[in-house]
Amino acid sequence: LSLVLGIFLAIFLVISIFLAAQGFLLAKVVETEKEVGRLDSFLLDESTVSDQQLLDSGLYTQIGHVTVTAALEGYDTYLGWYDENAAEHMNRSLLEGGLPKNPGEIAIEQGTLLVLDLERDWQIGDTVELNLTPINGAPEIRSFKLVGILVDQVDKLDLSDRVHFSKEFIRKFPALLISRDEPVF
């Protein structure tokens, strides 16, 4: 009886340790997805390959697009937009408010808001005036209505160390999100 009970407890202990380890690893995956999304791969400004060609390859089931349009002058911070698939996969979470839907609206990561003005208590509906340097065009000042405050995520997605960029301009995903319908610079 003692031998059978000992074997049962040993098997129970091994199974318990296995399940605990598996639960820990699954929790880590969920935590990572919250921080940086579910980005499997990215292609930088590759106009020779179409989305349909990538889908036809069988390696991808969904494709999202992240567009960077300008840099915040004086900072290593970028302005742009995500299409619906990219926003879903990047897991852009909001602390408050919503994502921009119309021209003139902006959602900004909490850390970037603090960098813009440490003294100010930013609220949804505030007007944000930004000095922007567009990728193609002359620097300009634009005003936006703050519609959302995003969870800080972009610093965790910094690609500078991992990717060689032909254009030194863009090294990060956008921390300031605008509407896809925003007028061009």
Side-chain angles (χ1 to χ4, degrees):
L1 181 65
S2 295
L3 180 62
V4 170
L5 188 58
I7 292 171
F8 173 75
L9 289 175
I11 292 170
F12 178 76
L13 180 64
V14 168
I15 291 172
S16 296
I17 290 172
F18 173 76
L19 290 175
Q22 185 180 17
F24 175 76
L25 292 174
L26 288 175
K28 190 69 177 161
V29 166
V30 169
E31 182 181 322
T32 301
E33 284 182 358
K34 282 183 182 178
E35 289 181 355
V36 296
R38 296 181 304 277
L39 178 71
D40 290 329
S41 64
F42 56 91
L43 207 56
L44 297 174
D45 198 21
E46 184 58 56
S47 58
T48 60
V49 179
S50 72
D51 290 355
Q52 193 57 49
Q53 287 173 309
L54 291 172
L55 291 171
D56 290 344
S57 73
L59 297 173
Y60 305 98
T61 57
Q62 289 184 329
I63 295 174
H65 295 269
V66 179
T67 303
V68 177
T69 57
L72 187 59
E73 195 169 297
Y75 301 97
D76 190 23
T77 305
Y78 301 94
L79 176 90
W81 53 269
Y82 294 81
D83 68 7
E84 289 180 18
N85 279 342
E88 179 186 331
H89 285 289
M90 297 302 291
N91 198 19
R92 293 311 315 223
S93 303
L94 290 153
L95 291 172
E96 61 181 287
L99 291 173
K101 293 183 173 86
N102 302 309
E105 297 179 341
I106 193 166
I108 303 176
E109 286 191 355
Q110 185 179 30
T112 302
L113 277 174
L114 293 175
V115 168
L116 291 174
D117 189 349
L118 282 171
E119 303 298 317
R120 187 167 178 180
D121 181 26
W122 291 98
Q123 302 293 323
I124 300 300
D126 287 351
T127 300
V128 182
E129 193 170 275
L130 302 172
N131 292 328
L132 299 169
T133 304
I135 294 173
N136 298 315
E140 63 182 81
I141 297 173
R142 284 221 184 156
S143 294
F144 298 94
K145 178 183 174 187
L146 183 64
V147 295
I149 300 174
L150 297 160
V151 172
D152 290 329
Q153 181 186 50
V154 168
D155 285 339
K156 297 171 186 157
L157 291 168
D158 189 355
L159 304 172
S160 302
D161 301 338
R162 293 174 253 164
V163 179
H164 170 70
F165 290 91
S166 57
K167 294 179 183 175
E168 276 302 310
F169 188 80
I170 302 167
R171 291 180 298 282
K172 291 185 179 178
F173 287 89
L176 300 98
L177 300 182
I178 57 174
S179 165
R180 185 178 194 162
D181 301 325
E182 187 70 31
V184 296
F185 292 93

Short mmCIF file of all heavy atoms in Angstrom, two decimals, residues 72-120:
data_model
loop_
_atom_site.label_atom_id
_atom_site.label_comp_id
_atom_site.label_asym_id
_atom_site.label_seq_id
_atom_site.Cartn_x
_atom_site.Cartn_y
_atom_site.Cartn_z
N LEU A 72 8.62 63.73 -34.38
CA LEU A 72 8.42 64.84 -33.46
C LEU A 72 9.76 65.55 -33.33
O LEU A 72 10.76 64.95 -32.93
CB LEU A 72 7.94 64.31 -32.11
CG LEU A 72 7.53 65.32 -31.06
CD1 LEU A 72 6.38 66.19 -31.57
CD2 LEU A 72 7.09 64.59 -29.80
N GLU A 73 9.80 66.80 -33.72
CA GLU A 73 11.07 67.53 -33.79
C GLU A 73 11.74 67.58 -32.41
O GLU A 73 11.12 67.92 -31.40
CB GLU A 73 10.81 68.95 -34.30
CG GLU A 73 12.06 69.67 -34.74
CD GLU A 73 11.74 70.95 -35.48
OE1 GLU A 73 11.10 70.86 -36.55
OE2 GLU A 73 12.10 72.00 -34.95
N GLY A 74 13.01 67.19 -32.40
CA GLY A 74 13.79 67.21 -31.17
C GLY A 74 13.71 65.94 -30.35
O GLY A 74 14.34 65.83 -29.30
N TYR A 75 12.94 64.96 -30.81
CA TYR A 75 12.76 63.71 -30.07
C TYR A 75 12.91 62.53 -31.03
O TYR A 75 12.74 62.66 -32.23
CB TYR A 75 11.36 63.64 -29.43
CG TYR A 75 11.08 64.77 -28.47
CD1 TYR A 75 10.37 65.89 -28.89
CD2 TYR A 75 11.52 64.71 -27.15
CE1 TYR A 75 10.11 66.93 -28.01
CE2 TYR A 75 11.25 65.75 -26.27
CZ TYR A 75 10.56 66.86 -26.72
OH TYR A 75 10.30 67.88 -25.85
N ASP A 76 13.20 61.38 -30.47
CA ASP A 76 13.26 60.15 -31.24
C ASP A 76 11.88 59.48 -31.17
O ASP A 76 11.75 58.34 -30.77
CB ASP A 76 14.35 59.24 -30.66
CG ASP A 76 14.64 58.05 -31.54
OD1 ASP A 76 14.37 58.13 -32.76
OD2 ASP A 76 15.13 57.04 -31.01
N THR A 77 10.86 60.24 -31.56
CA THR A 77 9.47 59.80 -31.44
C THR A 77 8.77 60.09 -32.76
O THR A 77 9.01 61.13 -33.37
CB THR A 77 8.78 60.55 -30.29
OG1 THR A 77 9.53 60.35 -29.10
CG2 THR A 77 7.38 60.06 -30.07
N TYR A 78 7.89 59.17 -33.17
CA TYR A 78 7.31 59.26 -34.50
C TYR A 78 5.79 59.29 -34.48
O TYR A 78 5.15 58.77 -33.57
CB TYR A 78 7.81 58.10 -35.36
CG TYR A 78 9.32 58.13 -35.47
CD1 TYR A 78 10.11 57.40 -34.60
CD2 TYR A 78 9.94 58.97 -36.39
CE1 TYR A 78 11.49 57.47 -34.67
CE2 TYR A 78 11.31 59.05 -36.46
CZ TYR A 78 12.08 58.29 -35.59
OH TYR A 78 13.44 58.38 -35.65
N LEU A 79 5.25 59.89 -35.54
CA LEU A 79 3.81 60.05 -35.74
C LEU A 79 3.41 59.15 -36.90
O LEU A 79 4.14 59.03 -37.87
CB LEU A 79 3.53 61.51 -36.09
CG LEU A 79 2.11 61.90 -36.44
CD1 LEU A 79 1.40 62.31 -35.15
CD2 LEU A 79 2.11 63.07 -37.40
N GLY A 80 2.27 58.50 -36.79
CA GLY A 80 1.80 57.66 -37.88
C GLY A 80 0.47 57.01 -37.55
O GLY A 80 -0.24 57.46 -36.65
N TRP A 81 0.15 55.96 -38.30
CA TRP A 81 -1.11 55.27 -38.07
C TRP A 81 -0.96 53.79 -38.35
O TRP A 81 -0.04 53.34 -39.01
CB TRP A 81 -2.24 55.87 -38.91
CG TRP A 81 -1.96 55.97 -40.38
CD1 TRP A 81 -1.41 57.04 -41.03
CD2 TRP A 81 -2.21 54.99 -41.38
NE1 TRP A 81 -1.30 56.76 -42.37
CE2 TRP A 81 -1.78 55.50 -42.61
CE3 TRP A 81 -2.75 53.71 -41.35
CZ2 TRP A 81 -1.88 54.80 -43.80
CZ3 TRP A 81 -2.84 53.00 -42.54
CH2 TRP A 81 -2.42 53.56 -43.74
N TYR A 82 -1.88 53.02 -37.78
CA TYR A 82 -1.97 51.57 -37.96
C TYR A 82 -3.27 51.26 -38.67
O TYR A 82 -4.29 51.87 -38.35
CB TYR A 82 -2.04 50.85 -36.60
CG TYR A 82 -0.82 50.95 -35.74
CD1 TYR A 82 -0.55 52.08 -34.97
CD2 TYR A 82 0.07 49.89 -35.67
CE1 TYR A 82 0.56 52.14 -34.17
CE2 TYR A 82 1.19 49.95 -34.86
CZ TYR A 82 1.43 51.08 -34.12
OH TYR A 82 2.54 51.15 -33.33
N ASP A 83 -3.25 50.31 -39.60
CA ASP A 83 -4.54 49.86 -40.13
C ASP A 83 -5.15 48.91 -39.09
O ASP A 83 -4.55 48.64 -38.04
CB ASP A 83 -4.40 49.24 -41.52
CG ASP A 83 -3.66 47.91 -41.54
OD1 ASP A 83 -3.34 47.35 -40.47
OD2 ASP A 83 -3.39 47.42 -42.65
N GLU A 84 -6.36 48.41 -39.35
CA GLU A 84 -7.07 47.61 -38.34
C GLU A 84 -6.31 46.34 -37.94
O GLU A 84 -6.23 46.01 -36.77
CB GLU A 84 -8.47 47.25 -38.84
CG GLU A 84 -9.41 48.44 -38.87
CD GLU A 84 -10.79 48.07 -39.39
OE1 GLU A 84 -11.14 46.88 -39.40
OE2 GLU A 84 -11.52 48.99 -39.77
N ASN A 85 -5.76 45.62 -38.92
CA ASN A 85 -5.02 44.40 -38.60
C ASN A 85 -3.78 44.70 -37.77
O ASN A 85 -3.48 43.99 -36.81
CB ASN A 85 -4.61 43.65 -39.87
CG ASN A 85 -5.72 42.81 -40.44
OD1 ASN A 85 -6.68 42.49 -39.75
ND2 ASN A 85 -5.59 42.44 -41.69
N ALA A 86 -3.05 45.73 -38.15
CA ALA A 86 -1.83 46.08 -37.41
C ALA A 86 -2.17 46.51 -35.99
O ALA A 86 -1.50 46.10 -35.03
CB ALA A 86 -1.07 47.19 -38.13
N ALA A 87 -3.23 47.30 -35.82
CA ALA A 87 -3.62 47.73 -34.48
C ALA A 87 -4.00 46.54 -33.60
O ALA A 87 -3.66 46.49 -32.42
CB ALA A 87 -4.78 48.72 -34.56
N GLU A 88 -4.67 45.57 -34.20
CA GLU A 88 -5.04 44.37 -33.45
C GLU A 88 -3.81 43.55 -33.05
O GLU A 88 -3.67 43.14 -31.91
CB GLU A 88 -5.98 43.50 -34.29
CG GLU A 88 -6.39 42.22 -33.58
CD GLU A 88 -7.19 41.30 -34.48
OE1 GLU A 88 -7.88 41.79 -35.40
OE2 GLU A 88 -7.10 40.09 -34.27
N HIS A 89 -2.90 43.35 -34.00
CA HIS A 89 -1.71 42.55 -33.72
C HIS A 89 -0.72 43.26 -32.82
O HIS A 89 -0.02 42.62 -32.04
CB HIS A 89 -1.02 42.12 -35.02
CG HIS A 89 -1.76 41.04 -35.72
ND1 HIS A 89 -1.81 39.75 -35.26
CD2 HIS A 89 -2.52 41.06 -36.84
CE1 HIS A 89 -2.55 39.02 -36.06
NE2 HIS A 89 -3.00 39.79 -37.03
N MET A 90 -0.65 44.58 -32.92
CA MET A 90 0.27 45.33 -32.07
C MET A 90 -0.31 45.54 -30.68
O MET A 90 0.39 45.98 -29.79
CB MET A 90 0.58 46.69 -32.70
CG MET A 90 1.28 46.59 -34.05
SD MET A 90 2.83 45.71 -34.00
CE MET A 90 3.81 46.83 -33.07
N ASN A 91 -1.59 45.22 -30.52
CA ASN A 91 -2.24 45.30 -29.22
C ASN A 91 -2.13 46.69 -28.62
O ASN A 91 -1.70 46.87 -27.48
CB ASN A 91 -1.66 44.24 -28.27
CG ASN A 91 -2.56 43.97 -27.09
OD1 ASN A 91 -3.75 44.28 -27.14
ND2 ASN A 91 -2.02 43.42 -26.04
N ARG A 92 -2.49 47.70 -29.40
CA ARG A 92 -2.43 49.07 -28.92
C ARG A 92 -3.52 49.29 -27.89
O ARG A 92 -4.69 49.42 -28.23
CB ARG A 92 -2.58 50.06 -30.08
CG ARG A 92 -1.44 50.07 -31.08
CD ARG A 92 -0.07 50.19 -30.46
NE ARG A 92 0.03 51.16 -29.42
CZ ARG A 92 1.02 52.02 -29.26
NH1 ARG A 92 2.02 52.00 -30.09
NH2 ARG A 92 1.04 52.87 -28.28
N SER A 93 -3.15 49.31 -26.63
CA SER A 93 -4.10 49.45 -25.53
C SER A 93 -4.17 50.90 -25.08
O SER A 93 -3.18 51.62 -25.08
CB SER A 93 -3.67 48.57 -24.35
OG SER A 93 -3.56 47.24 -24.75
N LEU A 94 -5.35 51.29 -24.65
CA LEU A 94 -5.59 52.66 -24.21
C LEU A 94 -5.74 52.72 -22.68
O LEU A 94 -6.38 51.86 -22.08
CB LEU A 94 -6.87 53.18 -24.85
CG LEU A 94 -6.78 53.43 -26.35
CD1 LEU A 94 -8.14 53.30 -27.00
CD2 LEU A 94 -6.18 54.79 -26.60
N LEU A 95 -5.13 53.74 -22.09
CA LEU A 95 -5.37 54.02 -20.67
C LEU A 95 -6.70 54.73 -20.51
O LEU A 95 -7.44 54.50 -19.56
CB LEU A 95 -4.25 54.88 -20.09
CG LEU A 95 -2.90 54.19 -19.97
CD1 LEU A 95 -1.83 55.19 -19.57
CD2 LEU A 95 -2.97 53.07 -18.94
N GLU A 96 -6.98 55.63 -21.46
CA GLU A 96 -8.29 56.29 -21.50
C GLU A 96 -8.53 56.86 -22.89
O GLU A 96 -7.62 57.03 -23.68
CB GLU A 96 -8.40 57.38 -20.42
CG GLU A 96 -7.42 58.51 -20.52
CD GLU A 96 -7.58 59.52 -19.40
OE1 GLU A 96 -8.57 60.28 -19.44
OE2 GLU A 96 -6.74 59.53 -18.50
N GLY A 97 -9.79 57.12 -23.17
CA GLY A 97 -10.16 57.66 -24.47
C GLY A 97 -10.26 56.59 -25.53
O GLY A 97 -10.55 55.43 -25.24
N GLY A 98 -10.01 56.98 -26.79
CA GLY A 98 -10.11 56.06 -27.92
C GLY A 98 -9.04 56.35 -28.95
O GLY A 98 -8.23 57.26 -28.80
N LEU A 99 -9.06 55.57 -30.01
CA LEU A 99 -8.13 55.78 -31.11
C LEU A 99 -8.68 56.85 -32.05
O LEU A 99 -9.90 57.00 -32.17
CB LEU A 99 -7.89 54.47 -31.86
CG LEU A 99 -7.12 53.40 -31.10
CD1 LEU A 99 -7.10 52.09 -31.89
CD2 LEU A 99 -5.71 53.85 -30.77
N PRO A 100 -7.81 57.61 -32.73
CA PRO A 100 -8.29 58.65 -33.65
C PRO A 100 -9.06 58.06 -34.83
O PRO A 100 -8.63 57.08 -35.41
CB PRO A 100 -7.01 59.34 -34.11
CG PRO A 100 -5.89 58.53 -33.63
CD PRO A 100 -6.38 57.53 -32.65
N LYS A 101 -10.19 58.67 -35.12
CA LYS A 101 -11.01 58.22 -36.25
C LYS A 101 -11.12 59.29 -37.33
O LYS A 101 -11.40 58.99 -38.47
CB LYS A 101 -12.40 57.84 -35.75
CG LYS A 101 -12.40 56.61 -34.86
CD LYS A 101 -13.81 56.23 -34.46
CE LYS A 101 -13.85 54.93 -33.72
NZ LYS A 101 -13.64 54.97 -32.31
N ASN A 102 -10.92 60.55 -36.93
CA ASN A 102 -11.09 61.67 -37.86
C ASN A 102 -9.82 62.50 -37.96
O ASN A 102 -9.01 62.51 -37.02
CB ASN A 102 -12.24 62.58 -37.37
CG ASN A 102 -13.53 61.82 -37.23
OD1 ASN A 102 -13.95 61.12 -38.14
ND2 ASN A 102 -14.17 61.94 -36.07
N PRO A 103 -9.65 63.22 -39.06
CA PRO A 103 -8.51 64.12 -39.16
C PRO A 103 -8.52 65.13 -38.01
O PRO A 103 -9.59 65.56 -37.55
CB PRO A 103 -8.72 64.83 -40.50
CG PRO A 103 -9.58 63.90 -41.29
CD PRO A 103 -10.46 63.22 -40.28
N GLY A 104 -7.33 65.48 -37.53
CA GLY A 104 -7.23 66.44 -36.43
C GLY A 104 -7.26 65.80 -35.05
O GLY A 104 -7.15 66.50 -34.05
N GLU A 105 -7.41 64.48 -35.00
CA GLU A 105 -7.42 63.77 -33.72
C GLU A 105 -6.10 63.01 -33.55
O GLU A 105 -5.47 62.62 -34.53
CB GLU A 105 -8.58 62.78 -33.65
CG GLU A 105 -9.94 63.43 -33.70
CD GLU A 105 -11.09 62.43 -33.64
OE1 GLU A 105 -10.88 61.23 -33.92
OE2 GLU A 105 -12.21 62.87 -33.34
N ILE A 106 -5.71 62.79 -32.29
CA ILE A 106 -4.46 62.10 -32.01
C ILE A 106 -4.58 61.30 -30.71
O ILE A 106 -5.30 61.70 -29.79
CB ILE A 106 -3.28 63.10 -31.93
CG1 ILE A 106 -1.93 62.37 -31.96
CG2 ILE A 106 -3.39 64.00 -30.71
CD1 ILE A 106 -0.76 63.30 -32.21
N ALA A 107 -3.90 60.16 -30.67
CA ALA A 107 -3.74 59.38 -29.45
C ALA A 107 -2.24 59.28 -29.21
O ALA A 107 -1.47 59.02 -30.14
CB ALA A 107 -4.35 57.99 -29.60
N ILE A 108 -1.82 59.53 -27.98
CA ILE A 108 -0.40 59.61 -27.66
C ILE A 108 -0.08 58.71 -26.48
O ILE A 108 -0.86 58.62 -25.53
CB ILE A 108 0.00 61.07 -27.34
CG1 ILE A 108 -0.36 61.99 -28.50
CG2 ILE A 108 1.49 61.17 -27.01
CD1 ILE A 108 -0.09 63.47 -28.23
N GLU A 109 1.07 58.05 -26.54
CA GLU A 109 1.51 57.23 -25.41
C GLU A 109 1.73 58.11 -24.19
O GLU A 109 2.19 59.24 -24.29
CB GLU A 109 2.80 56.49 -25.76
CG GLU A 109 2.59 55.35 -26.71
CD GLU A 109 3.81 54.45 -26.85
OE1 GLU A 109 4.88 54.77 -26.27
OE2 GLU A 109 3.69 53.43 -27.55
N GLN A 110 1.43 57.56 -23.03
CA GLN A 110 1.50 58.30 -21.78
C GLN A 110 2.91 58.89 -21.55
O GLN A 110 3.05 60.04 -21.17
CB GLN A 110 1.11 57.40 -20.61
CG GLN A 110 1.06 58.12 -19.29
CD GLN A 110 0.65 57.20 -18.15
OE1 GLN A 110 0.91 56.01 -18.18
NE2 GLN A 110 -0.01 57.77 -17.16
N GLY A 111 3.94 58.10 -21.79
CA GLY A 111 5.31 58.59 -21.59
C GLY A 111 5.65 59.74 -22.51
O GLY A 111 6.36 60.68 -22.12
N THR A 112 5.16 59.72 -23.73
CA THR A 112 5.41 60.80 -24.68
C THR A 112 4.69 62.07 -24.24
O THR A 112 5.24 63.17 -24.36
CB THR A 112 4.96 60.38 -26.09
OG1 THR A 112 5.67 59.19 -26.46
CG2 THR A 112 5.24 61.47 -27.11
N LEU A 113 3.49 61.94 -23.70
CA LEU A 113 2.78 63.12 -23.18
C LEU A 113 3.58 63.78 -22.06
O LEU A 113 3.68 65.00 -21.98
CB LEU A 113 1.39 62.72 -22.66
CG LEU A 113 0.29 62.61 -23.69
CD1 LEU A 113 -0.98 62.07 -23.05
CD2 LEU A 113 0.02 63.94 -24.37
N LEU A 114 4.17 62.95 -21.19
CA LEU A 114 4.97 63.50 -20.10
C LEU A 114 6.20 64.22 -20.63
O LEU A 114 6.60 65.25 -20.10
CB LEU A 114 5.37 62.38 -19.13
CG LEU A 114 4.22 61.74 -18.36
CD1 LEU A 114 4.72 60.58 -17.51
CD2 LEU A 114 3.51 62.76 -17.50
N VAL A 115 6.81 63.68 -21.69
CA VAL A 115 7.98 64.32 -22.28
C VAL A 115 7.60 65.66 -22.90
O VAL A 115 8.35 66.63 -22.83
CB VAL A 115 8.63 63.39 -23.34
CG1 VAL A 115 9.65 64.12 -24.18
CG2 VAL A 115 9.26 62.19 -22.66
N LEU A 116 6.41 65.73 -23.50
CA LEU A 116 5.97 66.97 -24.13
C LEU A 116 5.82 68.09 -23.11
O LEU A 116 6.16 69.24 -23.38
CB LEU A 116 4.63 66.76 -24.86
CG LEU A 116 4.68 65.89 -26.11
CD1 LEU A 116 3.27 65.66 -26.64
CD2 LEU A 116 5.56 66.50 -27.17
N ASP A 117 5.27 67.77 -21.94
CA ASP A 117 5.08 68.78 -20.89
C ASP A 117 4.88 68.08 -19.55
O ASP A 117 3.79 67.57 -19.26
CB ASP A 117 3.88 69.66 -21.23
CG ASP A 117 3.75 70.87 -20.31
OD1 ASP A 117 4.45 70.93 -19.28
OD2 ASP A 117 2.94 71.76 -20.62
N LEU A 118 5.95 68.07 -18.74
CA LEU A 118 5.89 67.38 -17.44
C LEU A 118 4.91 68.03 -16.47
O LEU A 118 4.33 67.36 -15.62
CB LEU A 118 7.28 67.37 -16.79
CG LEU A 118 8.26 66.34 -17.32
CD1 LEU A 118 9.63 66.57 -16.75
CD2 LEU A 118 7.78 64.94 -17.00
N GLU A 119 4.74 69.33 -16.58
CA GLU A 119 3.92 70.08 -15.62
C GLU A 119 2.42 69.94 -15.89
O GLU A 119 1.62 70.16 -15.01
CB GLU A 119 4.31 71.56 -15.65
CG GLU A 119 5.78 71.82 -15.37
CD GLU A 119 6.19 71.36 -13.98
OE1 GLU A 119 5.44 71.60 -13.03
OE2 GLU A 119 7.26 70.74 -13.87
N ARG A 120 2.08 69.59 -17.09
CA ARG A 120 0.68 69.60 -17.49
C ARG A 120 -0.02 68.29 -17.16
O ARG A 120 0.55 67.21 -17.32
CB ARG A 120 0.59 69.86 -18.99
CG ARG A 120 -0.81 70.05 -19.48
CD ARG A 120 -0.81 70.60 -20.86
NE ARG A 120 -2.18 70.73 -21.32
CZ ARG A 120 -2.51 71.18 -22.50
NH1 ARG A 120 -1.59 71.57 -23.33
NH2 ARG A 120 -3.78 71.26 -22.86
#
